[in-house]
Amino acid sequence: MFLLFCVCILHQTHGLSVPLDYGSSFPSSLHFQPLEAFLEEDPITKPPRPMFNVTHKIFMDFKQGDKDLGRIIFGLFGEVAPKTVENFRTIATVGINGKTYAGTNIYRIVNKFLFLGGDIVNNDGTGDTSIYGGTFPDETHVVQFWAPGFLAMYNHGKNKNGCQFFVTCMATTWLSDVYTGFGKVLFGLRTVVMIEKTEANRQGQPLVPITIVKCGELPLDTPVSAISQGSLNRSKVNANPIK
């Protein structure tokens, strides 16, 4: 958590410059485009390439004070991360001991990077639990965060996943080998933008709390395409992940 704080502050105050080599399969126009550049096709948010299959759709409705920020619908990749998806889906629907994501806050925002939430224990980023009892291991690193809107588990170290998650606001592929990605925003990138641009203190805590007021599962008529891993030139990156 301390390293996450340091990286977030560095990003907020000095910008985060990381030498990355995505390989030729990643269009240069996607690398660090502002999130707004991806909004044209919202609300249907067509992916730019083929896919991981979406096996579940989870929605979250957000509010900041008296202001409705809208709904985000996540497509979950249950074929590549079944345990992680089941944990997130269960917490979003029936919860753990009745406690779901509804009523919890987005506790940290880093503009042009990501935002974090999902602490159903302490609601401040210090608590963790899962449907498996305590934390559970990293399941996969096949999902690459090459664009805004990827959904991933936030862990407190290797193989320490619980209930917390983050959503990317830019390409953050250097995080893909550290955190388990398991979904993608299918609808609601405008809401992602509103959350990302919220005024926050130096610790990234929103000055006016942002709350998940409602969440649940939506019907999935047929498996649909969301996003693909694509082929990567997986060069090693000399950069600290968020921790």
Side-chain angles (χ1 to χ4, degrees):
M1 181 61 72
F2 176 73
L3 288 177
L4 168 63
F5 170 79
C6 291
V7 172
C8 290
I9 295 302
L10 175 65
H11 186 85
Q12 288 177 311
T13 56
H14 302 291
L16 188 61
S17 178
V18 182
L20 297 178
D21 180 5
Y22 295 108
S24 60
S25 64
F26 283 82
S28 60
S29 60
L30 291 178
H31 287 184
F32 295 104
Q33 279 197 30
L35 183 50
E36 293 91 330
F38 291 81
L39 294 182
E40 285 187 5
E41 295 184 351
D42 203 9
I44 57 175
T45 314
K46 292 181 180 177
R49 61 177 98 181
M51 71 205 93
F52 292 120
N53 283 332
V54 170
T55 58
H56 301 82
K57 289 182 181 178
I58 296 295
F59 74 90
M60 291 183 176
D61 295 336
F62 294 84
K63 197 167 186 177
Q64 184 174 31
D66 295 329
K67 181 180 179 182
D68 290 321
L69 299 184
R71 170 169 291 190
I72 296 175
I73 299 174
F74 297 104
L76 306 187
F77 306 147
E79 293 176 358
V80 295
K83 289 189 65 175
T84 306
V85 164
E86 185 59 22
N87 180 68
F88 183 82
R89 187 195 70 81
T90 300
I91 298 174
T93 53
V94 298
I96 298 175
N97 297 322
K99 179 61 177 176
T100 73
Y101 289 126
T104 64
N105 293 341
I106 300 302
Y107 66 83
R108 180 157 296 155
I109 299 169
V110 187
N111 187 256
K112 297 181 181 178
F113 190 32
L114 51 76
F115 63 80
L116 299 101
D119 183 353
I120 66 172
V121 179
N122 298 326
N123 203 23
D124 60 5
T126 64
D128 248 332
T129 187
S130 79
I131 64 172
Y132 306 111
T135 59
F136 63 98
D138 301 337
E139 187 171 16
T140 181
H141 297 293
V142 71
V143 179
Q144 300 294 304
F145 314 144
W146 60 268
F150 277 96
L151 173 66
M153 296 301 297
Y154 171 63
N155 60 46
H156 287 88
K158 185 177 180 180
N159 295 320
K160 294 182 179 179
N161 300 283
C163 53
Q164 295 185 43
F165 62 86
F166 66 86
V167 177
T168 65
C169 299
M170 61 173 282
T172 57
T173 55
W174 67 94
L175 301 180
S176 302
D177 289 333
V178 183
Y179 301 95
T180 296
F182 63 98
K184 181 73 172 64
V185 172
L186 301 179
F187 171 88
L189 280 175
R190 286 185 174 85
T191 298
V192 173
V193 168
M194 286 190 282
I195 294 173
E196 179 206 7
K197 293 187 176 300
T198 292
E199 188 176 2
N201 62 22
R202 289 181 61 85
Q203 289 72 43
Q205 299 162 335
L207 299 185
V208 178
I210 296 174
T211 303
I212 301 169
V213 294
K214 187 178 181 181
C215 57
E217 188 166 10
L218 297 173
L220 184 66
D221 297 328
T222 58
V224 295
S225 303
I227 214 72
S228 82
Q229 173 192 9
S231 58
L232 280 172
N233 180 1
R234 300 294 299 283
S235 61
K236 294 296 182 181
V237 179
N238 182 20
N240 289 326
I242 55 171
K243 287 186 179 178

